[in-house]
Each structure stands twice: as C-alpha cells, then as structure tokens.
Amino acid sequence: MRDRISTGSPAFDSIIEGGFPPNSLNIIMGLPGTGKTILTEGLIFANASPQEKAIYFSTVAEPLDKIVHYMQGFTFFRPEAVQDYVIFEDLSRVLREEGIECTVARIAALLREHEARYAVIDSFKALRSFCSEDDFRRALQELAAVATSLPLTFFWVGEYGENDTHHLPEFAVADSVIELVLNKVGTRDNRYLRVLKMRGSGFLGGEHSYRISPQGLLVFPRLVSPMSSPDYETLGERALTGVEVLDEMVAEGLWRGSSTAVFGPPGSGKTLLGLHFIFKGMEMGEKGLILSMQENPIQQARIAASFGWDIAAAIDSGQLRIMYVSPVEASIDEVLYNLTRELDESSAQRVVIDSLNDLEAAAGDLMRFHDLTYALLQSMVVRGVTLFLTAEIPDLFGTSYLSQFGVSHISDNVILLHYLREESEVKRAITVLKTRGSQHDTSIRQFSIDQTGLHIAGGFSKGTVFAH
Amino acid sequence: MILLIDKDPISADSIGYYLESAGYDVLTIFDPRGAADAIAAADPELVILEVILSGMNGLALCQALKNDESVADVPILILSVLSAEQRALEAGAQGFLLKPVGREELLTSVRRILSGESALSATAK
C-alpha cells in the first residue's frame, strides 16, 4: 500500500494520520483568501517528481498567469519543475469555447498522457457556471471514474460554504473534505482549518489554527489532552519554589509535575515569584522555560538583573529558554504548539507561563481557551513538567473571583498574592489557597520585596484589622 | 511578421495589440505541437514564446527549435509569467521578458532582437 500523500506541512500531516490517502479524491473548500490555492500548490510541489508528475488545472476563477506569478513568492515553488513535472494547464479557453464535455476530455487526456500522480482542479466549483446541473453531474461522474481508474490523488478546490456540503453531489463523491476558514476577531484575522470528512481514515477533529507565510501554510494543530503514556507515574519528588518560607507553607515544596496558578493584582509579585521558581530549578539542575506575553526579553533581563539573576548567562549555558510572544498578534494554537515544541527540544522541567490573561486574549473564545488550558495542563503532567502560571486579577484589595479562567479548579496548587490595607499602610500578603495531594499552611503571611527578591515573613498579628 | 505562441488568448491579444500598433503582422498559435511547422510555413522574423504552454514546456520547445536546422535561425523572445531568464538563455533564446509587460518594454526588446542584438539582461548574459 502506498504511503500517505504529505500535505507539505508535517504539522498538517499529523492532523490526518500522515497525509491524504493515496489515490483519493479530496475537496479543499473555503472562501476567497483562505489559502486553498497555496495549500494545494504547496502539496503538489512537495510531492511531484520527474517520476510522479502533477498537473494543476486552472479554470476560470483566477487567471493562471496570476496564480503562477504569486506562487513564485513561496519557498516551496520550484521553477525548474514547471512544465516538466509540475504542469500548469489553463482550461479557461476550452471551457469557454468548447464546453464542459470537451474540458473533461481534455483533463482525462492530459492525466493519461503525463501519467499524473497528483492533480488539482482550481476552481472546481466554477465548472458549474458553464453547464446545466445535469451536464455537471455527468461531468462529475466521468471525472470521478477517470480518477478511480488511475493511480491519482486528486484535489478539487472550490469556494464552497458549509451549506454546500449538505447537498452538492461532489461532496458525496469526495473521499475527504478540508475546510479553510478566515474569521475576524477584534483587530485580528483568525484562520483555522477543519477536516470535515476523511473516508476510511482517522483525523484530529476540531479547529486547527494556521497562517500563511512564505513557506506556505503554517499549521498549528490544536493541543489535545494527551492519553497518559503507559509508563507514566506520579512523580514523588518536590520542586522547591526558591522562596524558603513558601516551601514550608506547601509542605517542603510543590510536587514535581504539578501545576500552580499564582493569582494577584498588578504589581503584586507574580512575575518575580516565577523567576524565583525558574532560577531555583536551574540551581537544582532543572532546565527552565519561560513563556512571556507580558515583558519582552529585554524587560525580562532587566527585571531579573535587578534581583541579581543573569538571564543571558542562563540562556547561553542552555539552562533556560525564553519565548516571548506579543499578546496582540498571537493565536493560542500557535503559542501552545511552539511551546510544546520548545519544551520537547529543550527538555525543560520547569515552565512559567506569564500570563493566563494574555493566553485568554490569544484564544479569542472563552470555550476554546478553557479546552486548551485543560489540555495544556495535562500535557505538562504527562511530561513531568512543573508548571507555574500567573494570572492577573483586577481587584487590588479584598476577596477576588478566581474562577474567571477556569484554572483554579484544574490546577493542583493555587497561590494568591494580594494587598491588604492596615490603617494607612498597604501591605503585601501571600496565601496558599489550595495544594492537591498535600498539606499547606492556611495562614495569610506578610511578604516584602527587596533587591534580593521576595521574602515571606510571619503572619499578621492577632487582631489586625484589614480594610477592603 | 511575428509568431506568438501562448496558451492564453486574452494575454496573447494584449501582446498582439501592442505589436500590431507598431506595424508588425502577428500570427498567434495556441497549440505548441505545431510550432516547428508553423515557423517553417510562416517564416516569421521573430518568435515570441511563453514557457507555460498547453501541455508543454516553452523552454524545451525553444531548445528543440534551436536544434532544428530548418528553423534554428529564427530569433526567439521568451515572454513568460515564470521568472526564468537564465534558463531562457540556456535554452538559446535571444531575449526574455517577464509578464505582465508594458508596450514600450516589449517593443524595445523586439527592435533590439530584430536588429541582431540580445535582449537579455547583463546578469543573464
């Protein structure tokens, strides 16, 4: 049995079990501008060879010259292949002057003449405009029969909408259907693809983010909750936080492989606590990874240096990696995809994500954010990574609603940094609200920040009255 | 007379229009398989050839024409959407232009080739 036909993108391949089934008939659908032509062009250039030719048939949606002109800007385009083993054929003239029957005959003749292994008709939907529905159905049947008689993987591209899939006959004929979607969310364009159908084969369902780059489509498969690996065991070791008293408050440190959500208002010390956690880890021989959507690398280095930590040296030694992502531009799928790749490449054992607020903004959709956050936490667990997540809460004083991210109930540990007013003074306080599988100190402790970091003192004296 | 070999009547019409406006007679063919016979029959002063032809590679056709003694002396200008100037030189063409091309640029290249000069850029040469 032939191997699967790669899409040209390993990430996309992973969504459809390694690629399209060989000798299949596939519809690539989506509105104009979603990247259908780029996807199919990338695919044929990735697969075509002198022994396995590809033919790209353009119909009437876009002039062939324009398609070729723009394709030359992509890195997958190989000019030496053009008209040798990636053949471009313009069907517009035969379609206009001789009709659909002659067009189908022309397609069949060229497929046989070149013994093509891959072929694209773009736009397939546009063929409908040149004939009656009956003639189109006859043409469809003939094309499907030709495709079945040859060792050919065929792609029909069209500006179909979801409603079309329910009643147009080409969707019944197709072995698979891939939809490309472009949504406007705020000031951003969110692109995602979905597999609507894949006959005889599994696929990862749901929406997978992508963007268009000079390399073609960059696909970011959505993060899914992993199945536990057969040799997964709950790690029985503790990960020290780097703040001595905090370790005592959580019974000698956090469980290795656990997730800790640190909530606090602006300026309360969340990022600092994350730095303590990361640098303590490095001290103990554990590599670290920081995903920052708050401070850029220069700001991070400056903050760390003010407490005596040398981020540059840690990076140079290979002990630390920092990912900075602009919260305005990021898509959550791309962020999490790149995070898991960095994690696997670096073998980091401690990860700080700063902050959940920015991840939520990158998700653009609260349900998607909750699903992906759950999957993220589970991914860290099976990797044995100890995770620190920061989350900003709006209230400076008083009790806060911590469940806005849906994280406090799924993370193993929850720490709250807060401000308390005592008469005319504002004091910093830390409370451990939850530790799964462990005892913790439930007292509210005062803490301070100086040039050596965060320091926790004792509790507040009895009778201290706090204003809200 | 100039022989134009292209796949697209609309693109060919624009090129033909520019050439005819400058006083050239133009014959256009869309089936490249008859190119050698058409050249032998029409005896053009110049052949203008697209790379992306129906079912054929225009560069391979250019090479084949240059290897055919009966038509090898006819100069060839490759006019294509595919950026292939170096390959046009290697195939034996006397000139290369990238589509879309303006009237003056086209006519300048045509005049240079017809006067025996090359219409390839310095880098291609």
Side-chain angles (χ1 to χ4, degrees), chain A residues 210-283:
Chain A
Y210 72 92
R211 64 181 163 83
I212 296 172
S213 77
Q215 291 75 43
L217 256 59
L218 291 183
V219 179
F220 308 104
R222 72 176 175 88
L223 191 63
V224 290
S225 301
M227 306 281 283
S228 294
S229 58
D231 59 354
Y232 169 69
E233 290 172 11
T234 306
L235 298 165
E237 299 158 15
R238 294 282 185 172
L240 299 178
T241 63
V243 179
E244 205 177 308
V245 177
L246 180 57
D247 289 331
E248 292 166 10
M249 291 172 75
V250 295
E252 306 306 326
L254 306 167
W255 285 119
R256 285 268 308 276
S258 66
S259 56
T260 301
V262 180
F263 292 89
S268 54
K270 302 181 295 299
T271 301
L272 175 58
L273 196 52
L275 287 172
H276 270 289
F277 172 72
I278 283 287
F279 276 88
K280 185 62 181 178
M282 287 191 285
E283 212 180 287

Side-chain angles (χ1 to χ4, degrees), chain A residues 9-15 193 204-205 207-210 218-224 332-334 336-338 340 368 372:
Chain A
S9 157
F12 191 174
D13 290 346
S14 71
I15 293 169
L193 64 89
L204 183 59
E207 297 171 357
H208 307 284
S209 182
Y210 72 92
L218 291 183
V219 179
F220 308 104
R222 72 176 175 88
L223 191 63
V224 290
I332 192 169
D333 294 278
E334 183 171 357
L336 296 181
Y337 179 79
N338 289 334
T340 50
R368 190 174 184 81
L372 290 174

Side-chain angles (χ1 to χ4, degrees), chain A residues 64-66 68-69 72 77 79-84 87-90 92-93 96-97 106 110 113-114, chain B residues 7-11 30-31 33 50-58 60 81-83 87 98-100:
Chain A
L64 181 57
D65 277 1
K66 186 180 260 197
V68 174
H69 172 75
Q72 291 176 94
F77 189 87
E80 71 280 5
V82 174
Q83 297 313 84
D84 274 353
I87 294 154
F88 289 88
E89 180 70 15
D90 189 343
S92 60
R93 189 167 66 90
R96 278 196 307 266
E97 294 175 10
R106 178 82 179 135
L110 282 170
E113 180 188 329
H114 292 287
Chain B
K7 67 176 178 323
D8 176 6
I10 296 172
S11 170
F30 300 108
D31 186 350
R33 286 170 293 188
E50 162 63 83
V51 173
I52 301 180
L53 297 173
S54 183
M56 190 180 288
N57 183 332
V81 66
L82 191 67
S83 180
R87 292 164 70 207
L98 193 62
K99 281 181 183 172

Side-chain angles (χ1 to χ4, degrees), chain A residues 113-354:
Chain A
E113 180 188 329
H114 292 287
E115 296 181 47
R117 291 300 195 104
Y118 315 97
V120 177
I121 299 179
D122 185 6
S123 146
F124 189 83
K125 188 181 181 188
L127 295 176
R128 250 197 180 78
S129 315
F130 289 85
C131 55
S132 65
E133 185 62 22
D134 282 348
D135 285 346
F136 179 80
R137 282 176 185 260
R138 260 193 294 276
L140 171 66
Q141 201 176 27
E142 196 176 326
L143 272 172
V146 166
T148 306
S149 71
L150 300 170
L152 173 72
T153 308
F154 217 160
F155 297 90
W156 295 349
V157 177
E159 305 78 33
Y160 299 101
E162 192 163 352
N163 283 342
D164 294 328
T165 66
H166 302 313
H167 65 274
L168 292 183
E170 50 265 51
F171 286 92
V173 167
D175 298 307
S176 82
V177 179
I178 309 290
E179 182 186 23
L180 303 184
V181 180
L182 174 59
N183 267 347
K184 198 164 165 53
V185 178
T187 58
R188 286 210 306 255
D189 289 332
N190 273 5
R191 294 174 184 273
Y192 63 85
L193 64 89
R194 289 195 301 161
V195 181
L196 300 185
K197 174 184 178 184
M198 188 152 277
R199 203 174 265 160
S201 182
F203 58 89
L204 183 59
E207 297 171 357
H208 307 284
S209 182
Y210 72 92
R211 64 181 163 83
I212 296 172
S213 77
Q215 291 75 43
L217 256 59
L218 291 183
V219 179
F220 308 104
R222 72 176 175 88
L223 191 63
V224 290
S225 301
M227 306 281 283
S228 294
S229 58
D231 59 354
Y232 169 69
E233 290 172 11
T234 306
L235 298 165
E237 299 158 15
R238 294 282 185 172
L240 299 178
T241 63
V243 179
E244 205 177 308
V245 177
L246 180 57
D247 289 331
E248 292 166 10
M249 291 172 75
V250 295
E252 306 306 326
L254 306 167
W255 285 119
R256 285 268 308 276
S258 66
S259 56
T260 301
V262 180
F263 292 89
S268 54
K270 302 181 295 299
T271 301
L272 175 58
L273 196 52
L275 287 172
H276 270 289
F277 172 72
I278 283 287
F279 276 88
K280 185 62 181 178
M282 287 191 285
E283 212 180 287
M284 297 170 68
E286 295 176 17
K287 291 183 182 177
L289 172 61
I290 298 175
L291 169 61
S292 173
M293 300 171 82
Q294 297 262 302
E295 282 88 16
N296 64 41
I298 294 172
Q299 289 168 320
Q300 284 256 329
R302 197 179 296 141
I303 293 169
S306 67
F307 296 104
W309 291 309
D310 188 342
I311 276 188
I315 292 172
D316 288 344
S317 70
Q319 292 300 107
L320 175 65
R321 286 199 187 193
I322 295 189
M323 286 176 63
Y324 169 69
V325 180
S326 162
V328 176
E329 302 304 328
S331 90
I332 192 169
D333 294 278
E334 183 171 357
V335 172
L336 296 181
Y337 179 79
N338 289 334
L339 174 67
T340 50
R341 274 181 55 180
E342 283 278 338
L343 191 56
D344 292 339
E345 279 172 20
S346 66
S347 305
Q349 291 160 285
R350 294 191 179 205
V351 173
V352 168
I353 295 179
D354 189 15

